[in-house]
Amino acid sequence: MIIQSEYLFDADRPTVYAGLQNPEILARALPGTQTLEIVEGTRYAGEMVVSVGPVTAARFEVSVELTDLVEPESFTMLVGGKGKAGFVDGRADVRLEDRGAQCLMVYKADLGVGGRVASVGQRLLDSVGKAMSQRGLKAVDRMLQ
Amino acid sequence: MKPAPFEYVRPASVEEAISALTEGGYAAKALAGGQSLIPAMNFRLAQPAVLVDLGGLDELRGIHPRDDGGLVIGAMTLHREVEHSSLVAEHLPLLAEVMPWIAHPQIRNRGTVGGSLAHADPAAELPSVMQVLDAVLHVQGPDGVRTVPIDEFYYGLFTTALEPDELLTAVEIPPLPAGSRSAFEEVSRRHGDFALAGVAAVVQEAEDGTVARARLSLLSVGDGPVLAERAMACLAGRTLTAESIREAAALTSEDLDPPGDIHASAEFRRHLAGVLTTRALDRLRA
Amino acid sequence: MDEAQRVNVGGSVNGARFEREVEPRLLLSDFLRHDLHLTGTHVGCEHGVCGACTVLVDGEAVRSCLMLAVQAEGCEIITVEGLAGDDLHPIQAAFHEEHGLQCGFCTPGILTSLLPFLRDHPDPDEQEIREAISGNLCRCTGYQNIVSAVKLAAEQMRK
Amino acid sequence: MTRSSAIGAATRRNEDHRLLTGTALYVDDVHLEGMLHVAFVRSDYAHGLLRDVNLSAALALPGVIAAYAADDLGDYWSPGPLLVPPPPIERCEFRSATQVPLAKDKVRHVGEAIAMIVAESRYIAEDAVALVEVDIEPLPPVATTEGALAEDAARIHDQFDSNQAAHVVQEKGNYETATANAALRVKRRFRMDRGASAPMENRGIVAQWDERCAELTIWDTTQAPIPIRNGLAHMLGLPETHVRVIAPFIGGGFGPKIMMFYPEEVLLPWAAMQLKRPLKWIEDRQESFFATTQEREQIHDAELAVDSDGRILGVRDSFLCDTGAYNPYGLTVPINSQCTLLGPYDVPNYWSEFQLVFTNKPIVTPVRGAGRQHGVFVMERLLDLAAAELGLDRAEIRRRNFLPPDAFPHDHEILYQDFAPLVYDSGNYEPALDKALEMIDYDRFESDLQPAYQANGRTVGLGIVSYVEGTGVGPYEGARVTVQTDGRVCLATGVGTQGQGHFTSFAQLVAEPLGVSAAEVDVITGDTSHFNWGTGTFASRGAVVAGNACYAAALAVRGKVLATAAQALEADESDLEIEGGCVNVRGEPDRTISLGDLAARANPLRGAVTPGTEPGLEATAYFGPERGSTASGVHAIVLEIDRETAQVDILRYVVVHDCGKVINPMIVEGQIHGGVAHGIGNAFYEELVFDEGAQLMNASFMDYLVPTATDVPHIETAHITTPSPLNPLGVKGVGEAGAIPVGALFAQAIENALGADAPEVLEMPHSPNRLFELLQGDPDA
């Protein structure tokens, strides 16, 4: 599944870039994340509870790693999530651009989804992916204010 | 494919139901007709800890006429009851027209109007139909009763203005203004399947034959019912002609950002939305 | 998990009264088949698409896999076992006559779906018949002889 | 109502009453005292190293009785047998890797069983499944047929140096030299995707171990109860006589229910013996999309060479065939494709090569049609393309290439899946084509009807295609016929039945020689305690192979009846006739004796039975054809396309088919209707969609679209009868026929509807989304 979209932050580029290295703020980017802690450097791990429509309270162990960091321009985010309902595995290439005092994030995520969520939820995957990423970024944006 | 365990509550009143939902918080789920929830539970995608069965709440059933020709439909009213209601057929032909598009008779015999509206599945027919009919939702929670206009009800994917401890109790639909005509169009893979795309349309004609007001809502092309606002605006004040319809359909398609799935790509959905909008509006030409 | 909650459910099946204590998550399909040993109701998908598990609840066709047994409290249920008296019901007889079944697995759900349909549509045309059974999957017959059987049954029942 | 039970009569079915009243026994209806229920932990990953399976939390759940992972099986853990070894084809490389009962070290497709939970109820068993902790280290999956042979593809079976499971070449004549001066060569790539058999009843198994009698009884949704019994007895170290396998009423099979051994089939009996409790496992619909075998994924690069008259000079085909994660069924599917491609045509030169590849997807075994669709699709499409290039009528190009009626037996000089040479026993193709053309109004269609539709803005097209099907292969089946003292006749045979009407058609074969009605014949199928020689119901062989055995056994009993009656009536055998359950002296209606009385006389309580004779009116007979009989047919369609919504509506559907002599035309037509419906599914609705991770995206009936009553049209049928010379009844198989040519038919009709500049349709299935892409002028999208 490819999710390609963008988000306009109400904060400047360095703030956005720095914010996303902070596990507390980064956690907001992944809606439903209960905990996210630094494992080492820019590797994080935690737990996430997802409820979207028919899926209620699906628990996932998540891991996040930020790589190819080019401050304050771009980075790649490797995401893994694993739970009883299935798993998610993928990468998102993120680019930040100045938009005056604001910052535009352009991202392209390539996600593999497996298990039950994929096999019976295909109709909704695209929408869920888009909705969750936008919701997450909105939460990050609020946190940065 | 068996549901995970849950605690079962069968309240005898709306108030009891609300307190059960309040107590259960996010782990509680209201069970209306169960035609979406129970399959999700059988797949173990939905695993509510508390299930509040609304089946005993007869006060939420029934189709009640308003003096002005509008209707109030209780949330627990079955699809079948709406389908076969002479009141609905007389006053809200669009609602009668859409019922056979909803799954199959066996599902409509259990599925409820409130369940469909609250579930907020983006492929559901009723939210779009209620949207073009300017419905108002009656919501009850621990703090009392409130009403929500349909345009403020849908927030996003499976998300509505309902708080976890609130119940949708009824939907109130005003009468169609004089000079109004309605149409529904949908394409699905098989009869009764989730729509690939669909559109509900109401057009109110002014005395001079121009469009006084148009309402167009699409389903299965977004996170919920999608109001085609630019298309609606472009029709206002004009007569329905091949030209104005083409424009409206083009605007409809252009404004969409539909999801793709294994049955229809985003591009195909966008295309279908335009085709169906054209067909619906064509039917509404005098 | 703590001791599982159990709830009383009472009603009637094929005219006989039942009263049982069940776990609330028990599906009506499983309750009929395994608790009441009415195995004529078949389970094909457990997500409400195939229609094999269709039974009548208070006279209307519903998917028993999309109902909890506890939701049947106070209901009158009819299963395929309740259709025939001494003789086959005219719908059953018509399925035999027109070869409207092969492996027979989907058949109980189709018969029960047709009962209220023919009540409400005593003289259906082919399109109405096909739409009426479009919520019941059959992999064997290609539906053609089912359609013929429904036409024959309607004719017999109008007499 | 009395009806004729004669062979050839549309006798109503004996089995219907039980099925219609809900009293027929299916596997899930078996309820035994103390029965436990089983659920499986299955892999979420398509490919990965299985690091650890922790069952402790599951075992601690109240109501859980046992849980097993691969290591808990000890020596019982063993890969399944190679069911069908490759035929003795000269140029054939074959490597076998068969399925395992529970994954050990590695998982190779999503849904592969990893652990087995036994609990007091299925509900609890599923709760426990959720508590099992499985540690899998993902490996890159092989998700596509083409990807399997890529240099950098992950290896699915470490013992092999690539994912190639087989490489086979069969050749007739010399394609290159014979086609050097061809007037036209047409070459294309054709693609067919996966489908599920999707019977309405999922698989299931109940196992009961009676320790005091040392007897194991198994109820199994299998198409092959006898081989299951023999294999399980061997695996479990029991005498074959102490294992009873019952295949009761089966809710549809369509191929995959003959796979053996499924992991569950091996595990339940073993665990029932361990636990000394009866066990039941019923596959749920979601599991069935992973745990039951599938079929259909192939990619062909094929070339047809014709002369300027459109006569076939030769065909060259090279194809890839996906076998999934394991290949227990050997080469059956691709060899069917290879052989069926030749169709009803005279193809003097043929070069056909295929590679079978392992992928990280569920196992491939035959599904209704079993690879034949693919051959038909390729050949029929090539003929259409050639006809268009030559400006030849599409019916005419077929007619010109048909094998003439005097060409039989016709040797195609390659080997068929039954190891016998591909020799068509009989056929008469032109009358079937003519009949179909007449029924579909072919002559008027292009001249009048199609232009009239066009004038009304409608997009309507016609398709017409031919096919042959090798049916009724050996090795053999048997039957035992017994006249009882109440005059009823008992027939026992080994094949299982999944809705084909065996209780009736077999009864007819016995009723006619014994002068009773079919309703007086009690048929027992699929219970090894009643008959334990035979193989099973597959490859459209039930009526051909078991049917002829039933008939032979009935003829033998008829001989005994007449001999016993001759004694009883003091008459000459040649003066006797059997009718209405009695034997009479011809012309003397008073000199009569009933079959029941004769049965009693043949089993006397006093006196002596002459040494060398047998008691009773009973006989057992076997039938094994030297090779399969060749059925054939022509399908025609008229369909309408909504160019705006890319929806397709079938306006007319015509089938003319030849399955030799017909035992029961009502049943034959029913088989054809069902086959066509399945074919329509494969042509337009049904596709198992896997993503790049080899995850199945539509493992439910919400998204895997089995055609409904509004998707299948009324089907008009006609019969042509060319009896098979290879069996006394002259019958040929018909179970799969309906499904075989539909993809090719749809493709041709879609092109025809869209007109001269239509995009080529070179794949199946063909969904509206795909049609939309083609209509947008994007053939490669």
Side-chain angles (χ1 to χ4, degrees):
Chain A
M1 175 174 54
I2 307 270
I3 304 168
Q4 213 165 349
S5 193
E6 45 187 50
Y7 186 88
L8 188 63
F9 284 94
D10 230 349
D12 62 21
R13 191 151 68 131
T15 311
V16 173
Y17 186 88
L20 287 167
Q21 319 282 313
N22 174 347
E24 242 178 271
I25 297 176
L26 183 61
R28 299 299 173 103
L30 306 165
T33 299
Q34 311 284 300
T35 59
L36 193 70
E37 277 157 21
I38 297 178
V39 179
E40 192 196 347
T42 52
R43 277 173 52 216
Y44 314 85
E47 199 189 50
M48 172 171 185
V49 178
V50 177
S51 292
V52 185
V55 178
T56 53
R59 214 160 268 280
F60 293 88
E61 282 170 33
V62 289
S63 64
V64 180
E65 186 178 354
L66 303 181
T67 64
D68 304 328
L69 295 154
V70 183
E71 189 176 355
E73 261 165 36
S74 65
F75 57 90
T76 293
M77 187 164 145
L78 305 174
V79 192
K82 213 171 129 180
K84 290 295 168 197
F87 66 85
V88 182
D89 207 8
R91 56 178 286 154
D93 293 314
V94 179
R95 209 176 64 241
L96 301 176
E97 292 169 12
D98 286 323
R99 285 288 182 279
Q102 295 175 308
C103 164
L104 182 74
M105 175 191 277
V106 181
Y107 60 95
K108 180 178 174 184
D110 187 351
L111 294 176
V113 182
R116 210 177 306 146
V117 176
S119 65
V120 296
Q122 72 81 21
R123 176 173 71 94
L124 302 165
L125 283 183
D126 208 358
S127 298
V128 169
K130 264 190 222 165
M132 279 184 68
S133 61
Q134 287 291 311
R135 198 161 56 154
L137 294 171
K138 204 183 265 180
V140 170
D141 201 4
R142 273 199 305 269
M143 188 97 172
L144 292 175
Q145 304 310 308
Chain B
M1 287 187 57
K2 311 292 182 192
F6 52 80
E7 189 196 330
Y8 177 76
V9 186
R10 191 179 167 89
S13 67
V14 173
E15 289 71 24
E16 265 183 55
I18 288 164
S19 54
L21 287 172
T22 310
E23 218 170 286
Y26 282 93
K29 195 101 185 159
L31 172 67
Q35 303 301 286
S36 298
L37 179 57
I38 295 183
M41 288 169 62
N42 290 355
F43 281 120
R44 294 198 180 215
L45 289 173
Q47 300 199 15
V50 181
L51 197 63
V52 182
D53 181 0
L54 309 179
L57 305 181
D58 288 341
E59 56 201 287
L60 297 185
R61 266 182 227 285
I63 303 168
H64 311 286
R66 291 192 337 188
D67 293 344
D68 60 1
L71 295 176
V72 179
I73 302 177
M76 287 296 286
T77 307
L78 300 176
H79 289 134
R80 182 187 73 241
E81 293 166 326
V82 175
E83 186 177 1
H84 297 298
S85 158
S86 50
L87 278 174
V88 171
E90 186 187 339
H91 296 288
L92 297 168
L94 177 63
L95 191 50
E97 182 188 344
V98 78
M99 297 317 294
W101 287 96
I102 302 175
H104 299 282
Q106 297 98 325
I107 299 290
R108 300 199 291 274
N109 285 339
R110 290 290 299 170
T112 64
V113 171
S116 280
L117 293 174
H119 183 50
D121 190 309
E125 288 85 359
L126 281 185
S128 281
V129 167
M130 293 299 176
Q131 192 161 38
V132 296
L133 293 175
D134 297 309
V136 173
L137 301 150
H138 294 211
V139 174
Q140 191 170 337
D143 303 329
V145 175
R146 64 185 179 114
T147 56
V148 184
I150 188 108
D151 286 353
E152 295 164 23
F153 187 69
Y154 290 103
Y155 282 9
L157 198 64
F158 295 103
T159 326
T160 69
L162 286 174
E163 295 295 329
D165 55 2
E166 283 185 320
L167 265 189
L168 174 64
T169 56
V171 55
E172 181 164 4
I173 311 158
L176 275 180
S180 295
R181 284 193 300 277
S182 60
F184 182 82
E185 293 283 334
E186 177 179 313
V187 174
S188 59
R189 289 292 325 259
R190 300 170 304 182
H191 185 80
D193 278 345
F194 289 114
L196 301 183
V199 62
V202 172
V203 169
Q204 184 194 354
E205 211 171 73
E207 277 181 16
D208 62 358
T210 59
V211 174
R213 182 167 180 258
R215 295 278 284 170
L216 287 168
S217 176
L218 293 110
L219 54 118
S220 227
V221 290
D223 286 350
V226 180
L227 213 51
E229 296 188 43
R230 279 208 301 157
M232 282 155 40
C234 108
L235 291 171
R238 298 166 69 182
T239 46
L240 287 183
T241 60
E243 177 59 32
S244 64
I245 290 174
R246 193 178 318 119
E247 249 179 74
L251 288 173
T252 301
S253 288
E254 217 177 286
D255 288 353
L256 294 173
D257 180 18
D261 74 351
I262 64 167
H263 302 304
S265 63
E267 198 189 340
F268 187 30
R269 283 199 151 85
R270 192 196 309 273
H271 165 85
L272 285 174
V275 169
L276 296 177
T277 301
T278 306
R279 289 186 179 181
L281 292 172
D282 269 340
R283 278 173 55 194
L284 299 183
R285 288 169 76 171
Chain C
M1 187 96 225
D2 302 338
E3 190 67 16
Q5 181 193 9
R6 298 190 74 84
V7 178
N8 251 337
V9 57
S12 77
V13 176
N14 303 329
R17 176 94 203 133
F18 68 81
E19 189 86 44
R20 291 281 195 290
E21 210 181 57
V22 299
E23 212 188 330
R25 63 167 161 163
L26 183 68
L27 298 173
L28 179 61
S29 45
D30 286 335
F31 176 69
L32 292 169
R33 292 179 46 76
H34 305 309
D35 289 46
L36 302 183
H37 300 296
L38 291 167
T39 53
T41 297
H42 295 153
V43 171
C45 77
E46 291 178 302
H47 52 277
V49 182
C50 81
C53 69
T54 304
V55 300
L56 301 182
V57 174
D58 294 334
E60 300 299 338
V62 306
R63 317 256 201 234
S64 62
C65 75
L66 296 193
M67 239 181 110
L68 303 170
V70 292
Q71 289 180 286
E73 170 65 23
C75 293
E76 277 180 32
I77 299 168
I78 304 285
T79 68
V80 68
E81 287 94 339
L83 298 193
D86 290 338
D87 295 320
L88 290 179
H89 186 281
I91 302 179
Q92 292 169 312
F95 268 65
H96 174 62
E97 181 58 29
E98 294 293 328
H99 190 33
L101 66 159
Q102 289 183 26
C103 82
F105 196 80
C106 69
T107 310
I110 294 185
L111 295 173
T112 45
S113 298
L114 286 169
L115 217 55
F117 170 69
L118 287 175
R119 175 197 68 203
D120 299 339
H121 304 81
D123 190 9
D125 64 26
E126 172 147 353
Q127 193 54 32
E128 287 172 323
I129 295 169
R130 287 186 179 271
E131 279 173 21
I133 56 168
S134 66
N136 294 83
L137 299 180
C138 170
R139 193 57 146 172
C140 296
T141 64
Y143 306 102
Q144 184 155 328
N145 291 344
I146 296 178
V147 172
S148 310
V150 180
K151 286 181 188 162
L152 176 65
E155 196 184 307
Q156 296 292 333
M157 289 165 73
R158 284 198 305 273
K159 280 184 187 163
Chain D
M1 194 182 325
T2 54
R3 279 184 185 277
S4 169
S5 300
I7 296 169
T11 309
R12 297 321 190 244
R13 299 201 320 171
N14 285 338
E15 50 268 67
D16 286 354
H17 193 275
R18 277 179 285 171
L19 295 167
L20 285 162
T21 52
T23 50
L25 183 89
Y26 294 85
V27 170
D28 191 23
D29 304 339
V30 174
H31 178 82
L32 302 169
E33 204 52 44
M35 191 161 75
L36 299 171
H37 298 265
V38 173
F40 286 89
V41 177
R42 298 185 181 278
S43 177
D44 273 352
Y45 290 88
H47 198 193
L49 298 173
L50 184 55
R51 293 290 188 211
D52 187 44
V53 182
N54 186 340
L55 300 169
S56 51
L59 280 164
L61 187 74
V64 172
I65 305 298
Y68 307 98
D71 289 341
D72 300 315
L73 304 181
D75 291 345
Y76 189 65
W77 189 95
S78 158
L82 174 64
L83 272 176
V84 189
I89 294 170
E90 211 172 294
R91 291 162 73 183
C92 171
E93 296 160 39
F94 179 76
R95 304 193 289 201
S96 156
T98 57
Q99 73 285 359
V100 298
L102 292 171
K104 191 187 257 188
D105 306 330
K106 210 175 177 190
V107 292
R108 294 185 176 86
H109 66 85
V110 174
E112 186 166 19
I114 292 172
M116 172 186 182
I117 308 283
V118 183
E120 295 288 352
S121 78
R122 174 68 180 232
Y123 289 74
I124 297 170
E126 290 191 17
D127 295 344
V129 164
L131 297 174
V132 174
E133 286 162 39
V134 178
D135 183 6
I136 290 173
E137 184 186 324
L139 293 169
V142 176
T144 65
T145 309
E146 294 141 302
L149 295 178
E151 285 279 304
D152 57 349
R155 262 185 293 147
I156 296 167
H157 297 284
D158 298 332
Q159 67 271 38
F160 304 138
D161 59 7
S162 80
N163 293 319
Q164 179 182 292
H167 181 208
V168 173
V169 180
Q170 293 215 71
E171 191 172 8
K172 171 190 185 184
N174 186 318
Y175 178 81
E176 296 306 333
T177 52
T179 63
N181 299 315
L184 175 69
R185 289 163 189 270
V186 195
K187 185 173 185 191
R188 295 290 187 280
R189 167 165 278 213
F190 302 95
R191 192 179 279 276
M192 304 87 175
D193 256 313
R194 272 198 183 215
S197 60
M200 288 304 106
E201 180 204 36
N202 290 310
R203 290 187 300 117
I205 182 161
V206 173
Q208 181 181 37
W209 170 242
D210 182 336
E211 195 171 31
R212 287 174 303 178
C213 302
E215 275 179 9
L216 182 66
T217 306
I218 293 153
W219 289 261
D220 188 357
T221 55
T222 180
Q223 295 173 226
I226 297 166
I228 294 287
R229 182 201 69 158
N230 298 347
L232 280 177
H234 176 74
M235 286 179 230
L236 294 163
L238 294 169
E240 287 176 3
T241 47
H242 284 220
V243 181
R244 177 185 181 190
V245 175
I246 303 166
F249 278 102
I250 306 289
F254 314 113
K257 283 183 182 168
I258 202 171
M259 221 301 272
M260 64 189 99
F261 289 79
Y262 278 108
E264 304 87 0
E265 230 161 14
V266 169
L267 291 169
L268 270 271
W270 174 83
M273 291 176 72
Q274 303 287 312
L275 298 169
K276 307 187 196 332
R277 300 260 307 258
L279 299 185
K280 178 192 271 188
W281 169 75
I282 299 298
E283 180 184 62
D284 66 33
R285 184 56 65 182
Q286 205 185 357
E287 287 184 286
S288 80
F289 280 99
F290 305 105
T292 290
T293 57
Q294 308 169 345
E295 206 217 285
R296 306 253 196 271
E297 209 164 338
Q298 293 187 9
I299 299 164
H300 288 246
D301 286 300
E303 181 178 277
L304 169 74
V306 292
D307 68 16
S308 54
D309 292 331
R311 270 178 232 286
I312 297 170
L313 300 173
V315 176
R316 181 189 173 94
D317 183 26
S318 174
F319 68 100
L320 285 173
C321 178
D322 169 25
T323 192
Y326 303 96
N327 62 344
Y329 237 92
L331 301 176
T332 304
V333 169
I335 288 185
N336 272 350
S337 306
Q338 187 168 56
C339 289
T340 310
L341 185 143
L342 295 166
Y345 308 113
D346 186 359
V347 181
N349 299 282
Y350 185 36
W351 191 88
S352 172
E353 168 193 41
F354 67 80
Q355 292 187 85
L356 187 69
V357 299
F358 293 113
T359 60
N360 287 119
K361 297 189 194 176
I363 303 170
V364 167
T365 71
V367 174
R368 198 173 204 168
R372 297 181 183 92
Q373 283 86 341
H374 309 74
V376 172
F377 190 80
V378 170
M379 187 60 156
E380 295 295 307
R381 294 277 55 212
L382 287 171
L383 284 171
D384 290 337
L385 292 161
E389 291 255 351
L390 293 172
L392 208 56
D393 176 79
R394 51 194 150 145
E396 182 56 27
I397 197 169
R398 289 171 168 81
R399 191 187 303 278
R400 283 185 193 177
N401 287 292
F402 278 157
L403 289 165
D406 61 5
F408 300 91
H410 182 82
D411 187 350
H412 275 300
E413 299 169 37
I414 58 176
L415 281 191
Y416 193 44
Q417 51 128 321
D418 61 353
F419 294 23
L422 181 67
V423 177
Y424 291 179
D425 63 339
S426 58
N428 190 8
Y429 306 129
E430 218 170 335
L433 179 66
D434 288 336
K435 182 78 194 163
L437 292 172
E438 179 199 321
M439 288 170 75
I440 202 79
D441 233 353
Y442 187 76
D443 286 344
R444 284 209 315 135
F445 186 79
E446 280 185 12
S447 60
D448 304 344
L449 304 176
Q450 196 171 33
Y453 282 122
Q454 265 161 5
N456 287 321
R458 295 174 67 180
T459 304
V460 179
L462 180 148
I464 183 149
V465 301
S466 302
Y467 69 97
V468 299
E469 180 196 2
T471 72
V473 297
Y476 77 97
E477 288 298 333
R480 186 179 63 248
V481 171
T482 312
V483 178
Q484 301 177 151
T485 54
D486 63 357
R488 293 185 69 83
V489 177
C490 183
L491 164 67
T493 175
V495 298
T497 187
Q498 304 92 40
Q500 299 92 337
H502 292 153
F503 292 83
T504 310
S505 52
F506 290 171
Q508 283 174 271
L509 295 174
V510 170
E512 189 178 275
L514 291 178
V516 296
S517 73
E520 290 168 293
V521 181
D522 300 309
V523 179
I524 298 169
T525 69
D527 183 342
T528 59
S529 71
H530 288 277
F531 202 87
N532 60 17
W533 293 101
T535 48
T537 307
F538 57 93
S540 298
R541 68 191 289 278
V544 183
V545 189
N548 275 288
C550 294
Y551 187 60
L555 288 179
V557 172
R558 180 185 168 92
K560 291 187 178 185
V561 166
L562 290 175
T564 314
Q567 275 185 357
L569 298 173
E570 296 177 344
D572 198 84
E573 269 186 52
S574 61
D575 293 333
L576 299 180
E577 57 186 17
I578 312 183
E579 210 177 68
C582 292
V583 184
N584 313 316
V585 178
R586 196 171 289 112
E588 295 179 60
D590 293 344
R591 287 177 72 192
T592 180
I593 185 165
S594 72
L595 288 182
D597 289 345
L598 287 168
R601 282 180 72 100
N603 185 21
L605 291 173
R606 291 289 183 275
V609 170
T610 317
T613 65
E614 289 169 353
L617 300 177
E618 180 174 285
T620 300
Y622 297 90
F623 179 74
E626 69 178 271
R627 56 177 193 274
S629 51
T630 314
S632 64
V634 177
H635 287 208
I637 196 172
V638 176
L639 55 73
E640 176 164 11
I641 298 171
D642 182 331
R643 283 176 181 266
E644 289 181 337
T645 61
Q647 301 289 302
V648 173
D649 188 21
I650 303 170
L651 305 180
R652 288 192 65 201
Y653 201 106
V654 164
V655 176
V656 180
H657 77 105
D658 185 345
C659 63
K661 198 163 164 196
V662 170
I663 301 168
N664 184 324
M666 177 189 81
I667 289 174
V668 164
E669 288 196 10
Q671 290 289 309
I672 289 170
H673 296 164
V676 169
H678 200 146
I680 289 172
N682 288 144
F684 199 63
Y685 292 98
E686 300 180 37
E687 180 179 359
L688 293 164
V689 182
F690 292 84
D691 73 0
E692 318 85 72
Q695 293 283 332
L696 178 60
M697 304 298 285
N698 53 343
S700 82
F701 274 166
M702 291 179 293
D703 286 321
Y704 185 80
L705 309 178
V706 172
T708 73
T710 46
D711 308 315
V712 181
H714 182 85
I715 299 157
E716 304 158 55
T717 49
H719 310 267
I720 300 281
T721 304
T722 314
S724 171
L726 297 178
N727 64 77
L729 289 169
V731 297
K732 302 172 179 180
V734 73
E736 299 168 90
I740 290 172
V742 192
L745 188 67
F746 251 78
Q748 189 195 90
I750 286 173
E751 286 180 9
N752 179 250
L754 295 176
D757 50 357
E760 290 178 357
V761 178
L762 304 176
E763 73 218 274
M764 63 186 238
H766 206 78
S767 67
N769 193 75
R770 183 67 190 132
L771 191 52
F772 167 74
E773 288 169 352
L774 285 181
L775 289 167
Q776 299 288 304
D778 186 8
D780 299 320

